[in-house]
């Protein structure tokens, strides 16, 4: 029921987004099992707030399988070259973890990472995460490839927006990540994180913050 309230709140909101952006490039990465369609309200809000918003253009997010991370890196590099600016990345759910990994690998092209309900620790002890190992192509979260990816991600500072009422990802996995992690608690369902206008305003504010220093 709450998810429909979040969507209804977004649809009925007459508040114009505060114009925080000045054309800074922002790439939005969808969550596991979704595509750019799922982030249309989030992207529309950021666009209205003055950012140069880009879709991830890689179809359905099936996790870091095959060459997806290479293709995502290429997408970020392409936007950075085209705009001559470091890219701010907003990632929902697993998309946020993937965004942080990319930022750790190519920090010279990424200015900021903001995540929404993202399992940044990938802690297998989390009851919520234990059911979704398939996010990682069937590999164990203790596997070498996954652990290498997590180490890469820990190099990048991140603003992690999370909710104790998420219902999909355990909040501890979002708020207790290793490395430089600025955690902001809100009240929303997992889907509500990308449609609630109050939370979208927080995202806009965080995206507008000055870029992190490149490693």
């Amino acid at each position: 029921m709450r998810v429909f309230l979040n969507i209804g709140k977004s649809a009925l909101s007459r508040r114009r987004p505060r114009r925080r952006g000045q054309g800074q490039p922002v790439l939005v990465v969808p969550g596991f099992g979704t595509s750019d369609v799922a982030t249309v309200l989030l992207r529309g809000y950021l666009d209205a707030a003055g950012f140069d918003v880009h879709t991830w253009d890689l179809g359905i997010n099936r996790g870091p399988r095959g060459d997806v991370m290479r293709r995502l890196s290429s997408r970020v590099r392409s936007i950075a070259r085209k705009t001559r600016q470091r890219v701010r990345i907003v990632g929902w759910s697993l998309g946020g973890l993937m965004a942080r990994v990319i930022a750790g690998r190519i920090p010279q092209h990424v200015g900021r990472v903001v995540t929404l309900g993202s399992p940044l620790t990938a802690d297998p002890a989390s009851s919520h995460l234990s059911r979704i190992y398939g996010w990682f192509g069937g590999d164990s979260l203790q596997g070498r490839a996954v652990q290498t990816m997590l180490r890469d991600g820990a190099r990048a500072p991140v603003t992690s927006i999370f909710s104790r009422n998420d219902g999909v990802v355990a909040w501890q996995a979002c708020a207790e990540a290793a490395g430089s992690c600025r955690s902001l608690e809100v009240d929303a369902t997992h889907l509500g994180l990308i449609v609630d206008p109050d939370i979208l305003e927080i995202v806009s504010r965080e995206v507008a913050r000055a870029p992190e220093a490149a490693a």
Side-chain angles (χ1 to χ4, degrees):
M1 177 61 73
R2 288 195 62 194
V3 66
F4 295 109
L5 292 175
N6 288 141
I7 294 173
K9 182 179 178 182
S10 183
L12 294 173
S13 176
R14 297 178 181 274
R15 184 182 65 193
R16 291 285 300 171
R18 178 177 175 182
R19 192 169 183 84
R20 298 177 182 273
Q22 297 179 335
Q24 303 97 318
V26 179
L27 173 65
V28 179
V29 182
F32 176 72
T34 71
S35 67
D36 290 319
V37 174
T39 62
V40 64
L41 291 177
L42 169 58
R43 288 185 285 109
Y45 196 96
L46 292 174
D47 179 74
F51 299 99
D52 176 21
V53 184
H54 299 259
T55 53
W56 93 312
D57 283 355
L58 296 178
I60 295 175
N61 185 347
R62 303 184 189 281
R65 307 181 184 193
D67 66 348
V68 167
M69 298 304 286
R70 180 189 62 78
R71 294 169 65 195
L72 183 55
S73 293
S74 295
R75 177 81 172 130
V76 172
R77 288 191 183 96
S78 176
I79 295 171
R81 285 195 298 267
K82 181 178 179 181
T83 63
R84 297 184 179 180
Q85 297 184 60
R86 291 165 66 202
V87 181
R88 291 127 195 267
I89 311 178
V90 177
W92 175 44
S93 195
L94 181 62
L97 173 57
M98 295 166 68
R100 194 185 190 196
V101 171
I102 294 300
R105 291 177 177 176
I106 52 171
Q108 70 274 24
H109 296 299
V110 180
R112 178 163 294 282
V113 176
V114 178
T115 64
L116 294 152
S118 297
L120 299 177
T121 68
D123 181 2
S126 167
S127 60
H128 296 281
L129 293 177
S130 65
R131 299 194 298 268
I132 48 181
Y133 284 171
W135 281 5
F136 296 91
D139 191 9
S140 167
L141 293 181
Q142 299 300 315
R144 179 177 300 177
V146 172
Q147 291 303 309
T148 297
M149 186 178 74
L150 294 176
R151 284 195 297 272
D152 289 345
R155 300 172 186 170
V158 61
T159 297
S160 176
I161 299 173
F162 72 95
S163 171
R164 294 173 191 259
N165 296 314
D166 185 297
V168 174
V169 175
W171 69 267
Q172 295 91 337
C174 307
E176 300 174 357
S180 178
C181 178
R182 180 171 182 261
S183 300
L184 299 178
E185 183 174 358
V186 297
D187 183 18
T189 62
H190 196 63
L191 180 56
L193 290 169
I194 59 169
V195 300
D196 186 308
D198 293 331
I199 297 174
L200 300 188
E201 184 62 23
I202 293 172
V203 175
S204 175
R205 182 193 71 199
E206 291 302 310
V207 169
R209 287 163 60 89
E212 300 283 357

